[in-house]
């Protein structure tokens, strides 16, 4: 049991990565659309790029959405609406008329003709309620047929036969103005206004039932393509009719592929392809970025970003595939480059595009544009912390999208006509969305504990609390750190290393000297050397401890691990040679390990550069009469000694790069210690 646990403990990193790969594969396959991937990409009014296509099976031709919408609109326009006639309201209106008639026509001029007037009014009411009164008919077209339901009977009539409440006054005027009862017009208006009420209502429920019945009769297909029939020839323009046949074949294929019998096989195929792609990414990281591979947090971060891009793209494709370019995919290489390097960023970007090829339309066009945009992203942004660089790069990315889309259009169409200008606006939106990369990087730093160049730039501020404390407590060390930072930055620029990272590392590499600043010669302004009263072994221990003290101070001040690495490695396993020789002179039983730094050795170009720049800058203070020959000689001597001690054995730096660094350090020191003419007093 203990053997199994030991093996598990030793291989827990590898086990975690395998589980991460499996979980990522499951999530990505789950996000894929639940349908088979049709093997042909095609667009309307563009040439067919494949061989002649023949119908593999008999299948029905689906109607286009426009055709279905048109047929539905025709049904809606031709449907006859239902209205309900209420006899009770009509009878109540007549009864109210008879009850109120005498109270309205009370004048003596109407007294002798009340019977005639009353009969005339009843005749108007009968005419008003012949087909009934409705509140409003503005939602219905003139001349439209309607069904008027009176109890159990249904009568077909015209909508004009119904009276609205606004038309009652006009009806009274027509009957009375030119008749024998002109003087009674206003009285009748007053009376009818009180008694006439709407008695016809629109029967929405019955009408919708009839509408749904008619809608269900609309056939989704129009004709059949027989097996073996040629659908489209190579190079032929995919016109609207052919396009609809191809869409019908695609729908037939996808509906058959994801049946119960084939579903598991299709999923298994997706799992194989996705797992192969992610495994290739892991192998690339293991082979070329071993430090990243060993850090599970960093590997998780990379996989998380891939899944995030697949998720966003899938959501957009499900909503409307025409907006697939809205997803700012170029954020992915930007983010990976910000935390790691360009090569890993581009490789991750390409793997992600390969995965997205399963779900996006026009796969070849999409993949070409996104790969080119990713390459432009990697090549154009060298220093993300400079805002101008980001804006310039976003402009170039947008321009590449537009040029690429334009090129594909003229290849397919052979003309610049019919350009879809909405697509250009999509590319502009994508470019603007790419600007979100900076707040995204900040969020990632907090979530995953990573460090980007943006954070490194903040750490270079000499007004920060930690560097201010260093300047106040150990001014000589602070000045030394500034000089080392300048030397290391120049060397890093010359060999293509991360100059921002090495500068930050140089600024903080000696913060451990704040614990006992006067124990270091650069801070002994009074001329008193505290080591005169100490044994060589004690002095060596004090000097060596500044590395451990620096790590503790850095952790208390939440400095990133990438910066702490410079504190740990800037002396490697070198020896405090001065006190070691002094101990030998005193005939002590000397163990060289007591006078050696604990390490580890530098493991990157940047940490190796700092070791060289730190040693050279510190030793240069001992030169009394520096000359060009003397400076060149002592730079060679110091760095060659470090090489002889195998201090750069673990660093990813070449012999040629070390020679370039020597040249830079010689040049910089010669400029610092150049001789001036002696001015007269």
């Amino acid at each position: 049991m203990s053997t199994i646990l030991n093996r598990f403990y030793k291989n827990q990193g590898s086990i975690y990565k395998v589980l991460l790969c499996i979980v990522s594969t499951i999530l990505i396959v789950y996000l894929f659309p639940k349908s088979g991937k049709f093997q042909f990409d095609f667009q309307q009014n563009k040439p067919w790029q494949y061989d002649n296509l023949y119908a593999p099976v008999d299948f029905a031709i689906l109607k286009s959405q426009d055709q279905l919408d048109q047929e539905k609109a025709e049904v809606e326009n031709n449907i006859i609406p239902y209205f309900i006639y209420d006899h009770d309201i009509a009878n109540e209106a007549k009864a109210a008329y008879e009850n109120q008639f005498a109270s309205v026509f009370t004048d003596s001029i109407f007294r002798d003709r009340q019977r005639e007037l009353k009969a005339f009014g009843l005749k108007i009411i009968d005419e008003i309620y012949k087909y009934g009164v409705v509140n409003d008919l503005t939602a219905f077209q003139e001349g439209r047929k309607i069904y008027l339901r009176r109890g159990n009977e249904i009568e077909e009539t015209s909508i004009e036969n119904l009276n609205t409440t606004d038309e009652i006054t006009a009806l009274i005027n027509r009957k009375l103005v030119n008749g024998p009862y002109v003087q009674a017009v206003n009285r009748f208006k007053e009376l009818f206004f009180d008694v006439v009420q709407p008695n016809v209502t629109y029967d929405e429920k019955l009408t919708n039932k009839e509408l749904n019945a008619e809608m269900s009769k609309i056939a989704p297909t129009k004709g059949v393509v027989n097996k073996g029939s040629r659908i489209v020839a190579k190079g032929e323009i995919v016109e609207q009719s052919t396009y609809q046949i191809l869409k019908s074949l695609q729908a037939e294929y996808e509906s058959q592929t994801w049946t119960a019998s084939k579903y598991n096989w299709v999923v298994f195929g997706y799992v194989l392809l996705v797992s192969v792609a992610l495994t290739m990414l892991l192998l690339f990281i293991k082979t070329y970025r071993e430090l990243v591979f060993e850090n599970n947090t960093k590997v998780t971060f990379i996989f998380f970003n891939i899944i995030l891009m697949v998720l966003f793209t899938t959501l957009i494709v499900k909503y409307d595939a025409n907006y697939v370019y809205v997803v700012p995919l170029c954020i992915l290489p930007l983010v990976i480059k910000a935390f790691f390097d360009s090569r890993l960023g581009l490789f991750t970007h390409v793997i992600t595009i390969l995965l997205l090829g399963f779900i996006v339309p026009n796969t070849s066009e999409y993949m070409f544009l996104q790969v080119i945009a990713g390459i432009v992203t990697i090549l154009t942004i060298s220093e993300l912390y400079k805002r101008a660089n980001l804006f310039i790069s976003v402009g170039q990315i947008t321009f590449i999208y537009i040029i690429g889309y334009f090129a594909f259009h003229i290849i397919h169409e052979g003309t610049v006509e019919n350009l879809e200008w909405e697509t250009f606006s999509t590319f502009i939106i994508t470019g603007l969305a790419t600007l979100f990369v900076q707040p995204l990087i900040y969020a990632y730093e907090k979530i995953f504990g990573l460090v980007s160049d943006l954070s490194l730039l903040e750490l270079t501020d000499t007004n920060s609390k930690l560097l201010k404390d260093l300047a106040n407590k150990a001014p000589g060390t602070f000045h030394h750190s500034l000089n080392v930072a300048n030397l290391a930055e120049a060397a890093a620029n010359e060999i293509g290393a991360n100059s921002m990272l090495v500068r930050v590392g140089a600024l903080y590499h000696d913060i451990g000297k704040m614990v006992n600043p006067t124990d270091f010669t650069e801070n002994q302004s009074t001329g008193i050397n505290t080591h005169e009263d100490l044994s060589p072994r004690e002095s060596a221990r004090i000097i060596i401890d500044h590395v451990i003290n620096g790590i503790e101070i850095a952790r208390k001040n939440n400095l990133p691990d990438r910066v702490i690495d410079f504190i740990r490695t800037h002396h490697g396993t070198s020896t405090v040679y001065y006190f070691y020789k002094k101990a030998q002179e005193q005939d002590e039983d000397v163990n060289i390990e007591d006078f050696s730094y604990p390490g580890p050795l530098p493991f990157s170009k940047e940490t190796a550069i700092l070791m060289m720049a730190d040693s050279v800058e510190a030793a240069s203070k001992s030169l009394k009469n520096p000359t060009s020959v003397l400076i060149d000689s002592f730079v060679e001597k110091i760095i060659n000694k470090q090489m002889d001690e195998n201090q750069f054995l673990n660093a990813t730096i070449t012999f040629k790069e070390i020679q370039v660094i020597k040249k830079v350090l010689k040049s910089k020191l010669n400029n610092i210690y150049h001789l001036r003419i002696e001015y007269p007093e």
Side-chain angles (χ1 to χ4, degrees), residues 36-39 248-258:
K37 178 66 176 176
F38 194 51
Q39 58 185 325
S248 303
L249 178 60
Q250 181 180 8
E252 179 72 15
Y253 171 82
E254 293 175 351
S255 64
Q256 289 183 359
T257 300
W258 286 83

Side-chain angles (χ1 to χ4, degrees), residues 203-376:
D203 192 343
E204 184 177 7
K205 184 177 180 180
L206 186 58
T207 304
N208 286 339
K209 183 178 180 181
E210 187 72 17
L211 176 62
N212 292 334
E214 292 297 321
M215 288 288 190
S216 64
K217 296 178 183 179
I218 298 176
T221 61
K222 55 168 186 178
V224 175
V225 176
N226 295 321
K227 181 179 179 180
S229 302
R230 193 181 74 176
I231 298 174
V232 62
K234 184 176 182 180
E236 181 182 341
I237 300 298
V238 181
E239 298 178 348
Q240 183 177 1
S241 57
T242 307
Y243 177 79
Q244 198 56 41
I245 294 175
L246 289 170
K247 293 293 289 185
S248 303
L249 178 60
Q250 181 180 8
E252 179 72 15
Y253 171 82
E254 293 175 351
S255 64
Q256 289 183 359
T257 300
W258 286 83
T259 57
S261 61
K262 296 183 179 180
Y263 181 89
N264 292 334
W265 282 111
V266 175
V267 171
F268 180 67
Y270 274 139
V271 168
L272 283 179
L273 292 175
V274 173
S275 59
V276 165
L278 296 181
T279 302
M280 291 302 102
L281 177 60
L282 275 179
L283 290 176
F284 175 86
I285 298 173
K286 185 178 187 301
T287 304
Y288 298 103
R289 299 293 180 268
E290 188 173 353
L291 293 176
V292 177
F293 184 80
E294 292 174 356
N295 190 316
N296 287 335
T297 301
K298 293 179 179 179
V299 177
T300 304
F301 171 75
I302 295 171
F303 276 65
F304 172 79
N305 278 277
I306 294 174
I307 295 172
L308 200 62
M309 287 301 167
V310 173
L311 172 62
F312 286 152
T313 305
T314 303
L315 292 176
I316 292 296
V317 169
K318 287 182 178 179
Y319 173 74
D320 190 341
N322 293 323
Y323 297 107
V324 68
Y325 287 104
V326 169
V327 181
L329 202 62
C330 289
I331 282 183
L332 179 60
L334 278 178
V335 168
I336 301 299
K337 181 181 178 180
F339 290 110
F340 306 109
D341 60 82
S342 302
R343 192 175 179 185
L344 180 56
L346 182 59
F347 195 89
T348 305
H349 182 66
V350 171
I351 291 293
T352 305
I353 293 171
L354 291 176
L355 296 175
L356 293 177
F358 293 117
I359 61 176
V360 297
N362 304 321
T363 304
S364 58
E365 180 179 325
Y366 177 86
M367 293 177 68
F368 180 88
L369 287 178
Q370 294 292 11
V371 168
I372 292 298
I375 293 173
V376 171

Side-chain angles (χ1 to χ4, degrees), residues 8 23 33 68-69 133-134 158 209 249 265 275 375 445 612 616 636-637:
F8 178 81
V23 171
L68 291 174
D69 291 342
V133 180
V134 67
S158 175
K209 183 178 180 181
L249 178 60
W265 282 111
S275 59
I375 293 173
E445 287 179 335
M612 288 183 265
V616 167
E636 288 284 349
K637 179 181 177 181

Side-chain angles (χ1 to χ4, degrees), residues 661-678:
I661 293 169
K662 286 180 182 179
K663 185 178 179 180
V664 173
L665 295 177
K666 291 173 185 177
S667 175
K668 289 292 181 182
L669 289 176
N670 273 293
N671 290 333
I672 293 172
Y673 293 108
H674 70 283
L675 297 177
R676 297 177 180 270
I677 62 172
E678 185 176 351

Side-chain angles (χ1 to χ4, degrees), residues 338-538:
F339 290 110
F340 306 109
D341 60 82
S342 302
R343 192 175 179 185
L344 180 56
L346 182 59
F347 195 89
T348 305
H349 182 66
V350 171
I351 291 293
T352 305
I353 293 171
L354 291 176
L355 296 175
L356 293 177
F358 293 117
I359 61 176
V360 297
N362 304 321
T363 304
S364 58
E365 180 179 325
Y366 177 86
M367 293 177 68
F368 180 88
L369 287 178
Q370 294 292 11
V371 168
I372 292 298
I375 293 173
V376 171
T377 302
I378 292 296
L379 294 178
T380 54
I381 294 188
S382 57
E383 295 172 322
L384 187 60
Y385 57 85
K386 294 183 179 179
R387 291 171 294 179
N389 287 357
L390 180 59
F391 280 99
I392 293 171
S393 181
V394 165
Q396 292 172 335
I397 293 169
T398 306
F399 180 72
I400 288 297
Y401 274 129
I402 292 174
I403 291 297
Y405 170 76
F406 177 77
F408 273 109
H409 179 83
I410 60 176
I411 288 172
H412 294 320
E413 300 286 346
T415 177
V416 295
E417 297 179 359
N418 302 322
L419 275 173
E420 298 178 4
W421 297 102
E422 291 182 358
T423 307
F424 291 123
S425 62
T426 300
F427 295 142
I428 295 173
I429 294 172
T430 303
L432 295 176
T434 306
L435 296 175
F436 184 70
V437 67
Q438 286 196 334
L440 186 63
I441 287 174
Y442 178 79
Y444 280 152
E445 287 179 335
K446 300 303 179 185
I447 296 172
F448 290 93
L450 301 174
V451 183
S452 69
D453 285 351
L454 295 172
S455 293
L456 293 177
L457 180 63
E458 295 176 358
L459 291 172
T460 60
D461 184 8
T462 54
N463 288 318
S464 65
K465 180 180 181 301
L466 189 54
L467 290 181
K468 271 189 173 182
D469 288 344
L470 179 62
N472 292 330
K473 296 178 181 178
T477 299
F478 177 72
H479 184 263
H480 159 72
S481 298
L482 290 176
N483 290 337
V484 173
N486 292 331
L487 292 174
E489 184 178 21
N493 283 326
E494 199 67 26
I495 67 170
N498 190 331
S499 58
M500 179 64 67
L501 177 61
V502 76
R503 180 174 184 83
V504 173
L507 288 174
Y508 291 90
H509 78 284
D510 270 346
I511 56 174
K513 292 181 179 180
M514 286 193 293
V515 176
N516 297 300
T518 56
D519 289 334
F520 301 90
T521 55
E522 67 265 26
N523 299 313
Q524 294 171 355
S525 57
T526 60
I528 300 175
N529 189 345
T530 57
H531 293 284
E532 293 178 356
D533 300 326
L534 300 174
S535 68
R537 195 183 304 275
E538 291 174 329

